[in-house]
Amino acid sequence: MSNTPPKMTASHVTVHYGTKRAIDDVSIDIDQDEVVAFIGPSGCGKSTFLRTLNRMNDTVASARVEGDIRLDGHDIYAPDMDVVQLRARVGMVFQKPNPFPKSIYENVAYGPRIHGLAQSKSDMDGIVERSLTRAGLWAEVKDRLSDSGTALSGGQQQRLCIARAIAVDPEVILMDEPCSALDPIATAKIEELIHELRGRYAIAIVTHNMQQAARVSQRTAFFHLGTLVEFGRTSDIFTNPRQERTKDYITGRYG
Amino acid sequence: MSKSLVAQLPTGPAEPAQRVPTDWTTGAMQGRIRRRYAAERRFRLMGLAAVTLSAGFLAFLLATMLWQGIGGFTETRVTVPVDLGAAKLAVTPAQLDGRGADLALAGAGLEGIVDTSASRAYGKDGDNLLSGGAWLTVREAIKADPSLLTRRATFDLPVASPIDVAYKGKGAPEAEAMVARLTPRGVLSRSLNTGFLDSADSTDPTRVGIWGAFKGSLLTMLVTLLLAFPIGVLSALYLEEYAPRNRWTDIIEVSINNLAAVPSIIFGLLGLAVFLGTFGLPRSAPIVGGLTLALMTMPVIVIAGRNAIKAVPPSIRDAALGVGASPIQVVFHHVLPLALPGILTGTIIGMARALGETAPLLLIGMRAFIAAPPRGLTDPATVLPVQIFLWSDQVDRGFVEKTSAAIIALLVFLLAMNGLAIYLRNRFETRW
Ligand SMILES: Nc1ncnc2c1ncn2[C@@H]1O[C@H](COP(=O)(O)OP(=O)(O)OP(=O)(O)O)[C@@H](O)[C@H]1O
Ligand SMILES: [Mg+2]
């Protein structure tokens, strides 16, 4: 899409859970200013692959990752890579909204605080306001910042989680089905948000909603049974897929 | 984008097959509904009965203890006129100022004078009327007001244990006779026994106090808490968050579970062998009692702690890791605060059990007769349950109500400790 080198590249990535192979030789790159959608039937390994990109799989004792994943050309599985810093640079929004059981303010301020991103209280206030505004939540919560984050509605919670992820100013945002628990209005808000975030962050989003993938992404990757079946421009995939399996899946004839 | 291939939703439901609608009014259906309601009612009643029964037992226990023990906090006094002026004690006012006052008054025969005064006032065995420590009351009065030495005054002095018991209503025949003789003269009275609250064990039931054992319990519990809580919580955290799952951690887990079920007296034997035998720590000391009870309490805290930590949803861990928290930050910023209420519940249970424990402490020498409250962790001491045990074993009837009074003190200690823990737990409780 552009001439700049990709933000993240994954080449020949294979993931095992114990002896079970969940991802088999997948190569994908994500550009600086694009949104990449991961689609595929349930259990095909989309979440698994997404989680290798910020090493969240490290927390799963049985998971074993092979292959080469680079952020700005640096191998993120290299021994000298600091995982904590990596996760600050590659933020994540989970499928189920998971705000901390703390105040809304504290939810957003937590990341910047542990990374020392704010020099003063007013600095922090600024970060919180900016993040919540960008996540499209500021207007709704600005008068109740000290309420618990868990007291928000599902859609608000998910936007809070997005605000929390962007508060640490990551370079890449990974979203695992961020709208799966949301109604169409909240979904539309989040899609709008993805549009706005695009260009500032490289974004990878897992979704089961074909229309959503078509609306928000520039490129789409179709996974099936742990393999990458097709990866290309979203417009091509949805109008003119090269693989029969892709066509079957997106037309709903799959399975 | 040209025409998208994205699938359209199927339009309209398929034609449903013809089926007979369920008849909700048949007898069998009604019977099932009735049985369901009956089962619910039965279950609720059973629960209510169980709660009522346990509340009833508790109320019964508290009421009997209060009824029997409240007398232990009071003492009977008899009015005795003492003519100190006539007795001409060989004590100068200068001697009354310094530290030697007690010695000077004892040396001058104050005890004998008080006994004689009692005999003079109440007949031949009048001196049997007074408690062995009655003259001490006079001594303190003189120290407070030296002018008493030159005149005649009346004092309310504590009576001997048999009279005290008889006056409170269940004494031996001769004591009852004495009380019957004195009561019409209006010289017997009841007052709060402050000595019971600030002194330690004694052979004379009118002079025993609970403070020694109370302080012993306090120091012992302090040692137990300071050791068992941090070590227990750290072990639980380590085992849950860091330890790899392998044969060794399995063995450790099984051992901890077994340790929590080991009879407490075994811990006493262990304390005896290790702390007294190997390390040569002093016998009967709160530090040894605390160490022994900490061994007993730790497994309880570890088990409760692990369960509480396990109950913290993994999504919270993911969330924290996802914004770049380090594992230790995840633990201390998120997991521990969320697990703390559960950990505190386990701690309450463990500490309450430790507070009531007698057997292991007997083995490490805390059953000795100790007449002074401990001043530090290595002083000889006893604890409330052991004190209760010792007093309940005494033949002297004066100890009966002291035993109940000590039980009340133990319950008050327990309630205070649990109240504090519950307060802390509620403070840390996170609303979801
Ligand atoms: N922690 C784990 N341990 C063992 N196997 C796992 C684990 N997590 C996922 N798997 C397996 O890996 C495969 C891929 O799972 P993954 O969660 O990546 O699927 P997915 O594409 O995200 O599915 P969905 O769309 O339902 O979220 C599945 O077969 C799953 O059973
Ligand atoms: Mg998934």
Side-chain angles (χ1 to χ4, degrees), chain A residues 47 95 176-177:
Chain A
S47 299
Q95 175 166 359
D176 194 352
E177 298 182 45

Side-chain angles (χ1 to χ4, degrees), chain B residues 192-253:
Chain B
L192 183 69
N193 184 355
T194 51
F196 186 69
L197 297 178
D198 68 8
S199 51
D201 204 4
S202 165
T203 46
D204 177 353
T206 58
R207 297 172 67 186
V208 297
I210 201 66
W211 176 237
F214 199 89
K215 195 169 173 195
S217 272
L218 205 64
L219 292 172
T220 307
M221 285 300 110
L222 201 68
V223 174
T224 304
L225 184 67
L226 288 184
L227 282 171
F229 186 71
I231 299 181
V233 172
L234 288 179
S235 314
L237 277 178
Y238 179 79
L239 287 173
E240 272 311 308
E241 298 286 323
Y242 292 102
R245 292 258 164 271
N246 59 28
R247 198 140 48 87
W248 289 113
T249 44
D250 282 351
I251 292 174
I252 291 176
E253 173 154 13

Side-chain angles (χ1 to χ4, degrees), chain A residues 92-94 96-100 107-108 132 135 137 152 154-167, chain B residues 319 323:
Chain A
M92 188 148 198
V93 177
F94 298 84
K96 222 177 101 211
N98 55 355
F100 300 129
N107 261 284
V108 182
L132 284 170
L137 193 59
L152 295 172
Q156 291 172 325
Q157 287 189 18
Q158 193 60 296
R159 278 178 282 151
L160 179 61
C161 292
I162 294 175
R164 180 176 68 192
I166 57 187
Chain B
V323 292

Side-chain angles (χ1 to χ4, degrees), chain A residues 66-85:
Chain A
E66 290 153 45
D68 185 65
I69 302 176
R70 288 173 185 273
L71 173 65
D72 285 335
H74 297 292
D75 182 1
I76 65 167
Y77 281 85
D80 65 341
M81 173 52 82
D82 178 43
V83 188
V84 165
Q85 212 176 53

